[in-house]
Amino acid sequence: MIIKQKAVQTINELSTLSDFQKIELQNQQTTASKGMIAETVRYLHDNQKISIETLIRPRAGKYSYSDIEIKVMEADVFEAQALGVDSVAIGAITEDNHLDEDSMEQLIGAAGGMQITLNHAFDELTLAGQKKAIDFANDHGIDRIMITAQPDSSTFNENLQSLINYNHGAVQFVLTGKDENQLIKLCEQFNLHLLLVE
C-alpha cells in the first residue's frame, strides 16, 4: 500500500484531501503560521483523522542556516508540538553541502515525541553525503527522508536504487513531486510506500 501525502498551504485545501492519508503544512516552502497550524490540527483531527506534518523552515533558498535561524526553527518545532502536530519536516546543511549534524541534533531534540522527516535538504547532498545522512537518520531516529523524483533521469534511478540498497535501517524514503501518477509508478518500480504531492 502506498501512503499518499499532500502539501497544503491554505485552509480551503483541507476539504479536498479525501484521497490522502497525510498532509505537509507549509507556507510557500516555509513554516506555516501558528494560527494556520492550530486550525489545521483542529479541523483534520476532528473531521478526517489525517496525519499532519509541518515543514519547519525559516526562509526559502539554501538549507544552510545561521545560529539565530536554527533557534527560530527550534522554537517553531516546540510550537508545532504544543499545537498537536504529528510530525515535523526539518533539514540543515553546512555551507559546503554536508549535513549539519549539530543543528539537526538540536532540532531532533526539540521534536521529542514527534515523528521526523529529513526534508529536501537531502537533495542538496552528494550521493556519498546522502549515504552518510541515511546513517545519521537511522542513528538518530529520523523516520523519513524526502527525495525529489526525477522520473526521466537514468542517473536518478541509479542513485535511488543505490540509496535503497545502502539503507539497512528503519528510515523510509518519501518520493516527492507534482505528478501523482508518476510518483505512484516510481513507488511501484522501486517498492517504496510513501509519496508527497507538492
Side-chain angles (χ1 to χ4, degrees):
M1 175 185 172
I2 297 174
I3 296 174
K4 295 192 291 184
Q5 184 175 3
K6 180 79 170 69
V8 170
Q9 302 193 59
T10 69
I11 286 290
N12 293 337
E13 294 175 76
L14 299 180
S15 61
T16 66
L17 299 173
S18 58
D19 197 33
F20 294 89
Q21 293 79 47
K22 295 183 63 177
I23 68 162
E24 183 196 64
L25 189 61
Q26 56 167 271
N27 177 26
Q28 302 295 320
Q29 299 182 10
T30 63
T31 307
S33 71
K34 178 180 177 179
M36 180 67 180
I37 295 172
E39 290 307 314
T40 299
V41 168
R42 184 175 296 113
Y43 180 88
L44 291 183
H45 283 179
D46 287 350
N47 294 285
Q48 299 189 39
K49 311 301 182 189
I50 291 177
S51 178
I52 302 164
E53 178 170 87
T54 296
L55 176 65
I56 303 296
R57 194 175 179 204
R59 55 167 170 76
K62 192 170 172 62
Y63 289 88
S64 56
Y65 301 112
S66 67
D67 290 344
I68 293 174
E69 287 175 317
I70 293 297
K71 288 179 181 177
V72 169
M73 294 168 72
E74 183 181 36
D76 285 340
V77 171
F78 283 131
E79 192 65 58
Q81 185 178 50
L83 291 170
V85 168
D86 302 297
S87 62
V88 288
I90 57 175
I93 60 176
T94 62
E95 288 289 345
D96 55 352
N97 282 15
H98 296 285
L99 189 69
D100 185 346
E101 295 186 2
D102 289 342
S103 294
M104 288 295 297
E105 287 176 350
Q106 185 174 341
L107 296 173
I108 290 166
M114 287 190 289
Q115 293 195 349
I116 300 170
T117 299
L118 174 54
N119 64 23
H120 286 307
F122 185 80
D123 290 329
E124 304 296 319
L125 306 172
T126 64
L127 182 60
Q130 289 178 333
K131 290 179 178 179
K132 189 175 180 182
I134 290 170
D135 290 336
F136 178 89
N138 281 313
D139 289 343
H140 290 79
I142 292 175
D143 300 280
R144 295 170 293 274
I145 296 174
M146 290 183 187
I147 301 178
T148 301
Q150 301 172 40
D152 300 321
S153 168
S154 58
T155 301
F156 168 79
N157 288 348
E158 292 171 6
N159 288 349
L160 178 58
Q161 189 62 62
S162 176
L163 295 174
I164 291 169
N165 293 341
Y166 182 82
N167 179 28
H168 297 295
V171 69
Q172 294 182 287
F173 299 124
V174 183
L175 289 184
T176 75
K178 297 186 182 302
D179 188 321
E180 181 180 339
N181 290 328
Q182 281 186 334
L183 293 174
I184 289 172
K185 288 178 182 177
L186 281 171
C187 283
E188 292 172 345
Q189 177 181 345
F190 289 97
N191 194 29
L192 298 175
H193 305 286
L194 302 171
L195 65 82
L196 168 62
V197 181
E198 295 181 308

